[in-house]
Amino acid sequence: SKSQKEEDVTMDILQQCQKWHENDEHQKIIDALEAIPQEEHTADIDMELARAYNNLGAPGEPEGRRMLKHAIELMQAHEEELEETYSWNFRMGYAWYYLDQEGRAIPYLRKALELHPGDDPKLNSRQDIEEFLEDCTRRTSLPRFAECFRERTETAWEAFAEQEAALRRTMDEDKNHERGEELIGRCEAILNLAFDSVSFEMGYNGEKYELVLTPEGDKVRLFELVYFQKHAPQKVLKHWNILVGRQPVENIGLRSDRWEVSGDDVQIWVEELDKNSFGLSAYCEKLLPLLREEEGRAWWMLTTLTDQVLGEIPHMRYIDFFDVLEAPKEASPILLSALPDKLKDMGLDLSTDPDAYLESYTGYQMEPNEDPEADWRLDTIVGSTCCPPLMNSYLGNDNDYMDDLHADGAVAGFFCYPLDTLREEEGSQKIFDFRDKLEEALTAGDGPEALTLTGGATGLYCGYVDFIAWDLGTALNLAKEFFED
């Protein structure tokens, strides 16, 4: 039968790929398997292809990193089928490890060790995997990057300054908007020198060219983007506006393939959740077919349109809940296009300046754990933070934000110090004075800042100062000098 013949051909190719693999001829594997039409790819073919990309992917080189990322994409498509197999987990861990994202590699390598089939000369030994894991733990415990985010930022802006004239020229020549994909690709390659992944938009406002960096609702990413924006060189700013967050535009419309929607097409119900915290429920009759066919794209269009009507920073600052409805509510709605005026009437500041948002602190209280041996920070009594997602992820044992920062050469953390002698000397005021002096020491100096402070806390036993470090080595040395005194 035809299917049997196709299966036999696949087996022959995979057997040949094994021989090429044993001879380190990985490019031959890629050439042979990429020639097979995508609709004929099986899990076995994609796994073999991923292994070849893993073996050719060189850490630290743009093309090598692209290969490693492609290997991950190939394998992720078969997660449901293969997640309980040794090879899938080992190759996923291997790819993340060589992308210098050790935090993401650890769970896969642990699973591979658990599923290791035993002695097999064709497989990495258990000892090999244990050594991978030990190195991952060491590198995540004290990340010392080949290039930290501060350095990556400098490198990216240098490259942008060298290429920005060519980017402007292409934008000027592209009268019919036919080279957008090329422009985005060229700019993305520059930004990837700083960011493992980044969302952005490009345009021209009639006076200056614009690069808009979008956090996509992620407040931790917003800190990174603001740091990056503030270090744009003057020779770039002469011709470019570097903006963080989508800017509000009156009478804006959004189009995706055959779907087009504006702020006048969307009905909105606003619910006050707390002080300066609101929920939005959106209904758009025009997008109902899309909502049923491709729910993700319908949500993306409506949330992005809200960014463009309200401004992305006000959207992040005030809208804590967003829902897309399949039927309208009974209560009277407003149009999405009228949302900015409604929020202004409620006394809200719709400034698109991200600094104002990042500098807003939230106070919190905790029930302190009285065990002196409990994990760091569980003794906290009171604290404040301008980045609640980091605090919540630490307390919830969620590594996603840490892994995202690590991928860019940045680190979130806190300094902790004992409070017993401070309390004995002059009481609580001494504690706050000490923290003020520590924060001042960490942010002093004329050069590029090594970190951004994000809050602090007082516990039963320790005081804490929270930060995101753009240059961890420098940040640690600043703290070391302070504490030595």
Side-chain angles (χ1 to χ4, degrees):
S1 69
K2 182 180 178 182
S3 60
Q4 183 61 51
K5 287 179 181 177
E6 289 173 346
E7 193 173 311
D8 291 342
V9 169
T10 298
M11 288 302 296
D12 289 343
I13 291 174
L14 292 175
Q15 288 170 2
Q16 179 60 60
C17 287
Q18 181 59 36
K19 293 177 182 176
W20 283 330
H21 172 74
E22 291 167 1
N23 294 329
D24 290 331
E25 297 177 299
H26 307 297
Q27 189 60 52
K28 288 185 178 180
I29 297 173
I30 292 172
D31 294 341
L33 297 184
E34 289 286 14
I36 298 174
Q38 185 60 44
E39 61 270 17
E40 296 178 20
H41 276 224
T42 64
D44 289 335
I45 287 174
D46 282 346
M47 282 293 288
E48 196 65 45
L49 192 53
R51 180 169 68 169
Y53 277 117
N54 267 354
N55 285 320
L56 280 184
E61 298 176 9
E63 181 60 18
R65 293 181 65 82
R66 186 195 68 79
M67 289 184 174
L68 292 165
K69 287 185 176 182
H70 187 50
I72 290 171
E73 291 170 2
L74 287 166
M75 292 186 286
Q76 283 176 332
H78 304 284
E79 179 173 5
E80 189 173 337
E81 180 183 355
L82 300 176
E83 62 181 337
E84 293 299 321
T85 64
Y86 161 79
S87 294
W88 185 85
N89 281 282
F90 177 76
R91 291 173 194 175
M92 284 288 290
Y94 181 100
W96 284 121
Y97 176 83
Y98 281 105
L99 280 168
D100 299 324
Q101 298 188 39
E102 295 85 5
R104 291 192 168 112
I106 286 175
Y108 296 107
L109 293 173
R110 282 179 178 159
K111 188 73 172 178
L113 193 60
E114 177 188 321
L115 297 170
H116 197 284
D119 294 334
D120 185 336
K122 294 180 182 178
L123 301 179
N124 287 76
S125 68
R126 293 181 64 88
Q127 183 179 350
D128 289 338
I129 302 174
E130 287 169 352
E131 289 175 357
F132 269 121
L133 277 168
E134 184 180 342
D135 195 45
C136 285
T137 302
R138 181 176 61 83
R139 289 172 182 266
T140 52
S141 298
L142 181 58
R144 301 303 301 267
F145 305 102
E147 196 175 31
C148 65
F149 187 68
R150 177 187 63 76
E151 295 165 324
R152 290 171 66 151
T153 293
E154 292 173 0
T155 299
W157 280 127
E158 287 171 6
F160 194 94
E162 290 173 3
Q163 300 180 47
E164 63 87 19
L167 291 172
R168 286 189 285 116
R169 187 163 53 250
T170 301
M171 293 172 76
D172 291 342
E173 294 169 353
D174 187 25
K175 304 297 184 185
N176 297 322
H177 307 290
E178 296 171 345
R179 300 175 68 181
E181 194 171 324
E182 173 198 339
L183 274 165
I184 291 294
R186 285 161 57 186
C187 189
E188 185 173 36
I190 298 170
L191 294 175
N192 282 157
L193 295 171
F195 301 96
D196 181 65
S197 64
V198 63
S199 298
F200 65 95
E201 299 167 0
M202 302 172 71
Y204 181 68
N205 67 6
E207 297 180 2
K208 294 183 80 172
Y209 301 85
E210 293 189 329
L211 173 64
V212 183
L213 305 164
T214 64
E216 301 288 357
D218 183 341
K219 191 169 187 180
V220 178
R221 172 51 59 96
L222 184 60
F223 278 93
E224 280 191 276
L225 297 180
V226 167
Y227 177 90
F228 184 79
Q229 174 204 39
K230 288 182 176 178
H231 291 83
Q234 283 302 314
K235 54 187 172 182
V236 168
L237 298 177
K238 181 179 179 182
H239 300 287
W240 292 80
N241 289 328
I242 310 300
L243 305 170
V244 174
R246 295 184 179 99
Q247 305 298 297
V249 181
E250 289 187 11
N251 305 316
I252 187 71
L254 183 64
R255 184 171 184 171
S256 177
D257 293 337
R258 61 190 176 91
W259 303 98
E260 188 168 359
V261 65
S262 75
D264 291 335
D265 297 319
V266 184
Q267 294 178 322
I268 289 288
W269 290 263
V270 182
E271 178 186 359
E272 189 165 1
L273 303 174
D274 204 344
K275 183 180 179 182
N276 295 337
S277 172
F278 300 86
L280 292 187
S281 298
Y283 173 74
C284 180
E285 187 174 358
K286 285 178 69 173
L287 291 184
L288 284 180
L290 179 63
L291 185 63
R292 291 163 188 148
E293 295 168 15
E294 293 183 67
E295 183 180 4
R297 183 146 53 123
W299 274 73
W300 175 84
M301 287 188 71
L302 290 171
T303 54
T304 301
L305 183 62
T306 305
D307 281 348
Q308 294 173 329
V309 169
L310 190 59
E312 190 171 6
I313 300 304
H315 186 175
M316 291 177 64
R317 185 172 188 174
Y318 298 119
I319 309 305
D320 289 328
F321 171 81
F322 192 97
D323 191 20
V324 177
L325 306 175
E326 293 188 8
K329 291 186 175 185
E330 291 184 5
S332 298
I334 63 169
L335 294 178
L336 177 59
S337 55
L339 181 61
D341 288 338
K342 179 173 178 63
L343 295 181
K344 286 177 185 176
D345 290 343
M346 299 173 75
L348 300 186
D349 176 10
L350 300 189
S351 166
T352 58
D353 177 12
D355 283 323
Y357 174 43
L358 293 183
E359 290 170 2
S360 59
Y361 279 77
T362 300
Y364 59 90
Q365 292 181 310
M366 291 173 56
E367 189 65 37
N369 187 326
E370 296 184 10
D371 180 3
E373 301 302 318
D375 285 342
W376 295 117
R377 207 169 193 107
L378 298 189
D379 68 325
T380 295
I381 303 169
V382 295
S384 63
T385 179
C386 61
C387 193
L390 277 178
M391 186 59 51
N392 293 336
S393 66
Y394 172 78
L395 295 172
N397 197 29
D398 181 348
N399 297 323
D400 287 347
Y401 289 120
M402 292 294 288
D403 289 339
D404 289 344
L405 289 168
H406 187 103
D408 297 341
V411 185
F414 54 83
F415 295 111
C416 54
Y417 45 88
L419 296 180
D420 48 359
T421 55
L422 294 173
R423 280 199 177 100
E424 289 169 4
E425 290 176 14
E426 295 179 29
S428 60
Q429 188 56 46
K430 183 75 171 179
I431 293 174
F432 294 122
D433 290 346
F434 183 85
R435 191 164 90 190
D436 288 344
K437 290 176 183 177
L438 172 57
E439 292 178 348
E440 184 180 341
L442 293 172
T443 54
D446 299 326
E449 60 269 38
L451 52 73
T452 295
L453 297 175
T454 59
T458 300
L460 291 175
Y461 310 110
C462 290
Y464 303 92
V465 168
D466 308 328
F467 64 86
I468 301 175
W470 315 116
D471 181 342
L472 182 62
T474 299
L476 293 177
N477 282 329
L478 289 170
K480 180 173 180 287
E481 291 172 10
F482 176 83
F483 285 120
E484 280 179 341
D485 193 32

